[in-house]
Amino acid sequence: MSYSAALEWRSCATPQTPADLQCATLSVPLDRSRPDGPRIDLAVNRTPARGDRIGSLLVNPGGPGGSAVDVVAYNGMVAGYPEGEVLAERFDLVGLDPRGVGHSSPVRCDPATLHDPAVSRFGDFDRLVAANRRAGQDCLDRTGPLLGHVDTVSVAKDMEALRRALGEERISYYGMSYGTEIGELYADLFPGRVRSMVLDAPVDHALPTLVAARDEAAAIEDSANRFFATCANCAARFDRLLTRPDAEDLTDGFYGYLTMKAAWPQLAQALAAADAGDPGPLLRAARFNSAEYGSYRAVSCQDFPAVMTAEVHRWWADELRRVAPRTWRYSEFWEMATGCAGWAMSPRNPPSYRWITGTPSVLVIGGTHDPATPLRWAESLSARIDGSRLLVDERDGHAALLHSPCARQRAAEYLVSGSLPEIGAVCREQAADPVR
């Protein structure tokens, strides 16, 4: 079968989606080193261009674990904002759920085994490793061999299979957060197949995971202090929670709210509720309570492991306390580093340095006060992509897509025209009212 004939599109619109939504299934090898071996099905959808068509724009909302199929179906990602409406006119908007994620044979785990609140990320190392080993084996038993093949190199190769199935000579791409790693690897492996690419709030996969954990912990501390400056009593309420036995889980939920500037009023309410004895709102926002947590851990352990011993664990735990004296109890990259010690499957795509050449222009967007992906990661990634351009977004919150009309406008203009913003371009956030 030819790749161009591989996709059979069908209407899959509902009253909640665009009327022209189409869905298809892409068949790919389970193990990319065995192209004639067992295969898995990946979910794909699209909304066709409604005007003068340029080509296909693939999107990914990050995670790991975020569903591109869902964002195309329900908001169009960048095209769902006024600044990006032109993208729905000029592009087929295409969502591909990565292997093990969303509608593409998702990783399956027992939530109670995957997260044991009695096991600290900063406590006894042997107990932590044993808990991870149990969790990884449970995910393997429930998911099967796919658990060892959800690495992002395989995802990038799946994206190339999708390009061929779409019949496109080149594709455009908008990736946010973890979705930038997919874009980075695709650009490295298939540079001549990129028409345009936006990497928003990038993860720098060249960094060792523990170094990334330190960077992120410092960024969270910065964002937390900026939030506390807007909210009377919030700092004191947060500090009182740190004496509780579930302080790590509460800090996880705190971070979940912190990443969205628009959710800061809800964060203030959640802190007040927890201070009054109801931790529910904070705990519900914790990463381990998300539906995609199994996929998140499985992909993380393929892409972001750390060489960890009891001594290394202790040293880096102290380092996080040093750079984030108030919020050190949770950061995503510390969760990855500690959560993958003892995992059932060996990593296929650990951090590595890639100098990317041969692509057309790539737009990298970094935020000055992003708690999840510090600006320095955008700077270092941009420096590793020949001919890329960095757009600095002066704002709070994670990702320009979710916070910055200016950056969304610049990204949309670039995706249509291929022309990058001027060197040194900066977007500035408008002042907001204090949180009540």
Side-chain angles (χ1 to χ4, degrees):
M1 177 182 291
S2 70
Y3 282 101
S4 60
L7 294 180
E8 296 182 2
W9 294 104
R10 65 189 184 279
S11 173
C12 54
T14 72
Q16 290 75 41
T17 68
D20 55 355
L21 184 68
Q22 300 173 342
C23 295
T25 301
L26 178 69
S27 175
V28 298
L30 167 66
D31 183 345
R32 277 286 171 185
S33 68
R34 298 176 57 205
D36 296 325
R39 302 181 75 81
I40 56 173
D41 289 338
L42 305 182
V44 183
N45 67 354
R46 71 179 179 186
T47 54
R50 295 157 193 168
D52 186 11
R53 182 181 183 275
I54 293 172
S56 292
L57 171 61
L58 279 63
V59 298
N60 185 278
S67 171
V69 164
D70 284 350
V71 298
V72 168
Y74 296 110
N75 67 17
M77 205 158 149
V78 66
Y81 292 90
E83 302 83 14
E85 288 178 352
V86 64
L87 301 177
E89 295 293 320
R90 304 300 306 276
F91 291 95
D92 295 348
L93 301 179
V94 181
L96 167 68
D97 274 0
R99 48 179 57 216
V101 169
H103 305 278
S104 293
S105 306
V107 169
R108 301 190 184 281
C109 308
D110 171 40
T113 305
L114 194 59
H115 177 76
D116 182 349
V119 177
S120 169
R121 302 181 191 95
F122 293 86
D124 183 84
F125 181 70
D126 291 338
R127 186 181 184 192
L128 175 68
V129 170
N132 291 339
R133 188 170 289 118
R134 287 193 302 272
Q137 187 61 51
D138 172 76
C139 296
L140 179 59
D141 292 343
R142 294 170 185 269
T143 303
L146 174 62
L147 189 72
H149 296 278
V150 293
D151 60 284
T152 306
V153 169
S154 294
V155 173
K157 292 178 179 179
D158 293 342
M159 198 160 89
E160 171 62 5
L162 176 59
R163 180 198 64 78
R164 289 181 284 178
L166 292 169
E168 298 282 14
E169 185 69 21
R170 297 185 299 162
I171 56 173
S172 296
Y173 181 77
Y174 192 117
M176 183 181 85
S177 196
Y178 161 74
T180 64
E181 190 201 345
I182 300 174
E184 174 194 347
L185 291 178
Y186 185 83
D188 182 58
L189 295 170
F190 309 103
R193 298 303 183 181
V194 176
R195 177 193 167 272
S196 58
M197 178 174 286
V198 176
L199 304 179
D200 178 4
V203 171
D204 186 356
H205 196 240
L207 291 176
T209 303
L210 289 167
V211 174
R214 178 173 58 192
D215 288 350
E216 187 185 29
I220 293 170
E221 183 86 358
D222 168 68
S223 290
N225 288 333
R226 291 175 65 82
F227 163 69
F228 292 142
T230 72
C231 177
N233 302 318
C234 282
R237 287 168 177 161
F238 179 80
D239 290 345
R240 283 193 289 270
L241 297 181
L242 302 182
T243 63
R244 294 172 51 115
D246 56 352
E248 288 181 33
D249 289 351
L250 292 172
T251 307
D252 183 348
F254 173 85
Y255 167 80
Y257 283 104
L258 188 68
T259 58
M260 285 291 295
K261 180 74 175 286
W264 284 11
Q266 288 73 39
L267 176 54
Q269 294 167 10
L271 286 172
D275 193 43
D278 177 15
L282 279 179
L283 292 176
R284 285 191 290 273
R287 172 72 70 173
F288 64 82
N289 273 325
S290 65
E292 66 271 12
Y293 187 55
S295 299
Y296 176 86
R297 280 283 291 278
V299 175
S300 297
C301 291
Q302 289 293 305
D303 280 32
F304 303 105
V307 177
M308 187 79 77
T309 65
E311 184 178 1
V312 169
H313 176 256
R314 189 164 46 249
W315 191 92
W316 280 97
D318 289 342
E319 184 70 355
L320 264 60
R321 292 183 180 97
R322 182 185 69 82
V323 301
R326 180 175 252 152
T327 60
W328 55 266
R329 289 170 180 80
Y330 184 81
S331 62
E332 291 192 65
F333 277 81
W334 181 248
E335 177 175 8
M336 293 173 185
T338 57
C340 296
W343 191 249
M345 310 299 290
S346 298
R348 288 178 172 267
N349 180 39
S352 62
Y353 187 93
R354 296 169 184 263
W355 171 249
I356 300 171
T357 62
T359 64
S361 57
V362 173
L363 176 60
V364 180
I365 308 175
T368 50
H369 299 286
D370 190 317
T373 53
L375 176 60
R376 64 191 302 173
W377 295 357
E379 293 169 339
S380 58
L381 177 60
S382 180
R384 292 193 292 105
I385 303 176
D386 187 35
S388 68
R389 184 68 48 79
L390 175 64
L391 173 63
V392 174
D393 192 23
E394 293 187 351
R395 53 151 170 89
D396 295 294
H398 180 43
L401 175 70
L402 304 176
H403 293 89
S404 175
C406 167
R408 290 194 296 263
Q409 182 70 40
R410 294 297 190 95
E413 291 171 353
Y414 155 72
L415 286 167
V416 171
S417 70
S419 298
L420 290 165
E422 65 276 13
I423 295 174
V426 176
C427 284
R428 291 183 169 85
E429 179 183 37
Q430 293 182 344
D433 294 331
V435 175
R436 301 298 181 189

